[in-house]
Amino acid sequence: MKQTRILHLLQSNRPVDNVIIKGWVRTRRDAKGFSFIEVNDGSCLKNMQVIADSSLVNYKEITKLSTGSAVAVTGSLMESPGKGQKWELKADGLEILSLTPDTFPLQKKRHSDEFLRTIAHLRPRTNKYSAVFRIRSELSFAIHKFFKDRGFKYIHTPVLTASDCEGAGELFKVTTLDLDSVPKKDGKTDFSLDFFGAATSLTVSGQLSAEMFALALGDVYTFGPTFRAENSNTSRHVAEFWMVEPEMAFSDLNDAMDLSEEFLKYLTGYVMDECVDDLELFAKYVDKNLMKTLEGLITSDFTRLSYKEAMEILSKSGQTFEFEVGFGKDLQSEHERYLTEHYFKKPVIIYDYPKNIRPFYMRINDDNKTVAAMDVLVPNIGEIIGGSQREERINVLEARLDKLGLSKKDYWWYVESRRYGSAYHSGFGLGFERLLMFLTGVTNIRDVIPFPRTPSSISF
Ligand code: 4AD
Ligand code: MG
């Protein structure tokens, strides 16, 4: 017989007979003639309190049920006379599906996030991590809903690619060559003998492909895994992360900024409405200011200022930063967080970055020094979104590729999109895990992704 999920039972407005639930024992408490068993099935944060009385044939085994054991319970959903829950399940039968030995590492006490990372295969069985991953699931759905409601088309861009979108050289190479005897030509690896006949890597962004589809379908987005071999062991970087990348034809930098603000407000509101219980856990145990921060994002107009203005604020701030500030230098996380957390105390969009610290595809402004780029910074995180208007002028694009020493031959198809029906267009990339960190108050990106991939760490 199929079980009913605890989530649905707890929403019941009347008692129900002949119910069956299946789940894992969180705790057991014995009283005279009874055992109270808290069962969780992962469908929601709350447990079902099961009342097993001594008339059950296997009562003796039931009183030995350990944390983590799997059970199937049949019985009646009844109003609970006890405090703390509206409903409880009076068991007619309780089948022990598997008894967990007491070596089970998740006992009742609270475990550190660092410890739980070492048992990433078991951590979704804790309250906190099951909540993270339920929110992650809802948030994915919200992303599709946002775009669907606005007529955007969902494009599946390839993971395997021969082009480096960001030009930062942080590529994971993909090859079927025998690494113990790599074929060489003029002293270099001969990729013409490799699987694709060309040097290949995992994508760092779906943007270049998405642009081709924006220039055909108008408003599009991609949402998928991206890979970066950055050797930065920070709490905000992982080697495999998910990115959401909308791209809009006939739209400029302001349109991209408007969309980014609307998008973040929508997603934050969605999670606040749909994930009430799970979010409450984070507001209570992880970040006491969480709800204030989330409401702050929804209610404030994001401050928009140029990179030049941001640099002026930073130079005059009187703060001592680890990294120097000044025109031409990139903003580091400490600068971003100063601006959004201390100076403006709300989300900030910075635009018009110097062209020499931004990739080839960004549209060059009339000053010929800056590009139509933008980054969205939010409290506790810093950069959460990066985007731009794209260079649609073929001669400017070709000159830029030449200047950067990038081969026009490799990007021939990208350039060609500017030869036929070129149109101004813009878009951005949202780091999905960074948004989850913002929404939950979790401070390490490793704790919002099922199995994090970071330098020297590929277990699970
Ligand atoms: O700013 P980035 O590098 O922008 C792009 O890749 C553009 N092609 C996007 C576009 O315009 N379509 O990355 C976008 C976002 C960042 O703002 C950050 O939130 C996230 O992706 N991100 C990472 N998240 C986790 N780990 C990493 N190593 C990340 N690198 C970037
Ligand atoms: Mg960026």
Side-chain angles (χ1 to χ4, degrees):
M1 197 162 91
K2 192 90 182 102
Q3 74 277 10
T4 306
R5 296 291 180 200
I6 291 172
L7 169 72
H8 297 127
L9 284 176
L10 293 177
Q11 287 164 352
S12 180
N13 47 22
R14 57 183 173 81
V16 194
D17 287 336
N18 296 321
V19 168
I20 175 159
I21 64 164
K22 294 176 187 173
W24 296 272
V25 173
R26 279 292 162 82
T27 57
R28 200 200 71 245
R29 180 166 58 85
D30 296 324
K32 206 163 182 240
F34 292 101
S35 197
F36 295 95
I37 305 155
E38 293 284 331
V39 176
N40 188 283
D41 69 358
S43 62
C44 60
L45 189 65
K46 290 200 176 89
N47 302 323
M48 176 65 79
Q49 172 162 286
V50 171
I51 317 290
D53 72 36
S54 53
S55 66
L56 292 172
V57 285
N58 56 347
Y59 187 69
K60 218 169 143 197
E61 283 92 86
I62 290 171
T63 59
K64 290 185 199 124
L65 262 180
S66 49
T67 297
S69 298
V71 293
V73 188
T74 47
S76 306
L77 186 75
M78 308 212 292
E79 238 161 283
S80 174
K83 271 198 292 205
Q85 65 280 319
K86 181 160 186 248
W87 298 108
E88 61 188 24
L89 190 66
K90 165 98 179 51
D92 307 328
L94 191 155
E95 188 187 347
I96 300 173
L97 301 174
S98 79
L99 194 64
T100 294
D102 58 13
T103 50
F104 184 52
L106 298 172
Q107 294 303 330
K108 217 182 148 189
K109 67 173 191 139
R110 249 165 102 185
H111 300 284
S112 73
D113 294 320
E114 289 75 13
F115 168 69
L116 291 170
R117 264 172 237 149
T118 68
I119 50 165
H121 59 306
L122 297 175
R123 69 179 179 169
R125 300 190 198 186
T126 64
N127 283 344
K128 179 173 166 184
Y129 286 86
S130 67
V132 166
F133 294 110
R134 275 189 300 269
I135 294 176
R136 191 177 164 114
S137 170
E138 288 300 316
L139 188 61
S140 308
F141 177 78
I143 283 164
H144 290 299
K145 180 156 168 50
F146 176 87
F147 288 124
K148 168 119 177 93
D149 289 350
R150 286 160 185 76
F152 282 64
K153 302 293 176 265
Y154 177 31
I155 309 297
H156 297 122
T157 54
V159 166
L160 293 170
T161 178
S163 37
D164 179 1
C165 174
E166 294 305 295
E170 291 156 347
L171 303 169
F172 283 105
K173 296 191 178 75
V174 175
T175 181
T176 53
L177 292 175
D178 177 359
L179 294 182
D180 291 326
S181 75
V182 173
K184 300 265 184 183
K185 198 175 168 191
D186 306 329
K188 290 193 166 156
T189 304
D190 185 0
F191 286 109
S192 71
L193 299 174
D194 203 350
F195 190 90
F196 297 106
T200 304
S201 55
L202 296 176
T203 190
V204 295
S205 157
Q207 179 198 319
L208 303 186
S209 318
E211 282 186 51
M212 301 305 108
F213 280 79
L215 292 172
L217 307 188
D219 293 334
V220 302
Y221 70 105
T222 74
F223 179 22
T226 45
F227 307 85
R228 294 199 186 172
E230 284 170 283
N231 209 349
S232 47
N233 233 322
T234 79
S235 57
R236 285 179 194 75
H237 291 88
V238 272
E240 176 176 345
F241 63 99
W242 282 61
M243 194 166 19
V244 188
E245 297 182 273
E247 191 70 36
M248 302 174 286
F250 309 106
S251 79
D252 62 14
L253 187 67
N254 280 314
D255 297 320
M257 291 199 264
D258 291 345
L259 186 77
S260 70
E261 183 166 344
E262 186 189 350
F263 189 40
L264 288 178
K265 286 180 174 169
Y266 175 88
L267 296 174
T268 303
Y270 189 96
V271 166
M272 287 171 85
D273 289 344
E274 301 294 324
C275 307
V276 176
D277 287 353
D278 287 327
L279 213 52
E280 199 180 282
L281 178 148
F282 295 97
K284 224 162 142 184
Y285 300 111
V286 175
D287 175 4
K288 295 256 187 285
N289 287 317
L290 183 63
M291 298 322 274
K292 221 178 111 205
T293 310
L294 301 189
E295 266 148 32
L297 182 135
I298 288 181
T299 53
S300 63
D301 288 330
F302 294 11
T303 299
R304 298 182 187 190
L305 76 163
S306 70
Y307 164 91
K308 194 161 164 265
E309 292 164 314
M311 274 304 171
E312 277 160 16
I313 292 172
L314 290 167
S315 324
K316 290 186 195 142
S317 68
Q319 299 280 312
T320 36
F321 294 115
E322 190 188 336
F323 293 92
E324 223 185 307
V325 289
F327 194 90
K329 297 226 159 34
D330 213 349
L331 290 176
Q332 301 294 329
S333 166
E334 55 174 346
H335 308 134
E336 294 170 345
R337 294 190 59 177
Y338 172 77
L339 290 169
T340 175
E341 282 164 36
H342 300 284
Y343 195 84
F344 292 107
K345 298 188 168 52
K346 61 176 178 166
V348 175
I349 307 181
I350 300 181
Y351 57 85
D352 289 352
Y353 283 77
K355 69 174 178 188
N356 57 348
I357 55 169
R358 283 294 184 262
F360 73 92
Y361 56 72
M362 294 188 175
R363 193 179 196 280
I364 297 186
N365 288 324
D366 291 344
D367 63 10
N368 200 25
K369 285 198 203 89
T370 59
V371 284
M374 64 107 176
D375 275 4
V376 182
L377 319 177
V378 294
N380 302 332
I381 306 295
E383 179 192 341
I384 195 160
I385 282 178
S388 72
Q389 188 171 333
R390 321 306 188 187
E391 186 54 75
E392 86 285 11
R393 298 162 296 185
I394 192 165
N395 55 332
V396 181
L397 180 65
E398 287 186 319
R400 190 96 198 276
L401 286 168
D402 284 342
K403 188 104 197 276
L404 294 170
L406 295 165
S407 152
K408 277 185 285 198
K409 223 171 89 226
D410 291 350
Y411 292 94
W412 70 271
W413 52 276
Y414 187 79
V415 173
E416 196 166 289
S417 70
R418 274 66 169 164
R419 180 165 298 125
Y420 305 123
S422 190
Y424 69 108
H425 61 287
S426 64
F428 60 80
L430 163 72
F432 184 62
E433 284 76 19
R434 295 212 183 154
L435 178 60
L436 264 169
M437 292 170 72
F438 175 78
L439 293 173
T440 55
V442 167
T443 54
N444 197 313
I445 195 166
R446 291 166 181 77
D447 300 335
V448 295
I449 192 162
F451 297 110
R453 271 80 180 94
T454 51
S456 308
S457 166
I458 186 81
S459 293
F460 311 105

